[in-house]
Amino acid sequence: MTSEQWSAVDAYISGLLVNGDPALDEALAASAAAGLPRIEVSPNQGKMLHLIAKIHGARSILEIGTLGGYSTIWLARALPPDGRLVTLEYEPKHAEVARANIDRAGFADRVEVRVGPALDSLAVLHHEGAGPFDLVFVDADKPNNPGYLTWALKLTRPGGVIVVDNVVRGGRVVDPADTDPAVVGTRELGRMLSEEPRVSATMVQTVGSKGYDGFALIRIDD
Ligand code: SAM
């Protein structure tokens, strides 16, 4: 199959099951207008995150990597009215666009965008006694994935769920000669998971409009 076919099938699935969505479409348009990179999850992946949060009954969500708030809005839609989502973003401009998008989507009351290096923000959250969160979505700079997993394990409740995006990287993750820090960080995350006695985890390969990649699904043992 070609990437054109993957994109066509993604559009078919999206047309069947995800449909047009003004708040999310506006978030994408505002992000593009502000010059943000098009590296958000696809609509089908966003809906999957929403469904995971909904099925899990998540009331508190932590997201690492906000960009323009596209995945944030999908996740926030799964929360009950008194639910809470904290999302961490390094770039002030991304955070500013995300705040406007989240506000327009009607979630300003339950979503907090924190600006700064996520490893620092995670340490602050832990110091504040935030969490434990029901669900953590990891989707920031990939070289720091080992650190994000370490913090996610500390900040997720027993029975909670962690989702990590982009863990296959076009298949490069299985090439030991590939020393790209993003690949190395992701491979290290896999190694840590394989040796972590407190979790049950898998990784699922995906193709679609975002190319060939995959996500990790992790459950913290009770
Ligand atoms: N989750 C978003 C979505 O699907 O709509 C996409 C997030 S994008 C793939 C990754 C984001 O992580 C970018 O906005 C980038 O600025 C941010 N980022 C990169 N390094 C970071 C760091 N050290 N701390 C926090 N955020 C970081």
Side-chain angles (χ1 to χ4, degrees):
M1 274 184 79
T2 63
S3 60
E4 286 76 21
Q5 284 173 303
W6 298 344
S7 294
V9 174
D10 244 11
Y12 160 78
I13 296 167
S14 183
L16 273 181
L17 302 173
V18 182
N19 302 317
D21 188 310
L24 287 163
D25 290 347
E26 280 175 35
L28 289 181
S31 298
L36 269 53
R38 290 299 312 269
I39 51 173
E40 74 284 344
V41 296
S42 71
N44 303 344
Q45 291 166 338
K47 179 91 177 260
M48 185 196 72
L49 290 172
H50 169 83
L51 288 170
I52 289 172
K54 201 83 181 163
I55 291 164
H56 186 43
R59 304 178 67 81
S60 59
I61 299 175
L62 171 63
E63 178 180 60
I64 306 174
T66 316
L67 192 64
Y70 184 74
S71 55
T72 318
I73 295 170
W74 272 114
L75 288 165
R77 284 181 171 180
L79 287 171
D82 62 345
R84 176 175 183 235
L85 191 157
V86 179
T87 183
L88 310 179
E89 174 54 50
Y90 178 72
E91 293 288 346
K93 182 179 167 190
H94 296 185
E96 185 188 328
V97 174
R99 284 196 184 104
N101 286 335
I102 290 160
D103 195 11
R104 205 179 306 107
F107 294 112
D109 61 335
R110 65 201 87 160
V111 175
E112 181 189 356
V113 183
R114 292 198 180 193
V115 183
L119 288 174
D120 293 354
S121 302
L122 287 159
V124 171
L125 277 171
H126 189 246
H127 182 72
E128 287 172 357
F133 293 90
D134 297 323
L135 173 66
V136 178
F137 177 47
V138 181
D139 188 21
D141 52 322
K142 313 309 174 185
N144 278 323
N145 271 340
Y148 296 148
L149 177 64
T150 301
W151 277 115
L153 290 169
K154 285 189 182 135
L155 289 165
T156 310
R157 72 164 167 81
V161 171
I162 303 169
V163 180
V164 184
D165 202 9
N166 309 123
V167 294
V168 173
R169 313 208 64 77
R172 293 171 62 188
V173 77
V174 297
D175 178 2
D178 196 324
T179 55
D180 177 340
V183 173
V184 172
T186 303
R187 201 185 293 128
E188 175 62 9
L189 174 131
R191 189 200 62 74
M192 289 167 67
L193 283 175
S194 74
E195 294 179 0
E196 175 54 62
R198 292 169 293 170
V199 306
S200 177
T202 190
M203 292 180 185
V204 177
Q205 301 183 74
T206 57
V207 294
S209 58
K210 300 288 172 176
Y212 169 38
D213 216 317
F215 63 91
L217 186 61
I218 303 153
R219 181 181 182 275
I220 315 293
D221 293 340
D222 298 305

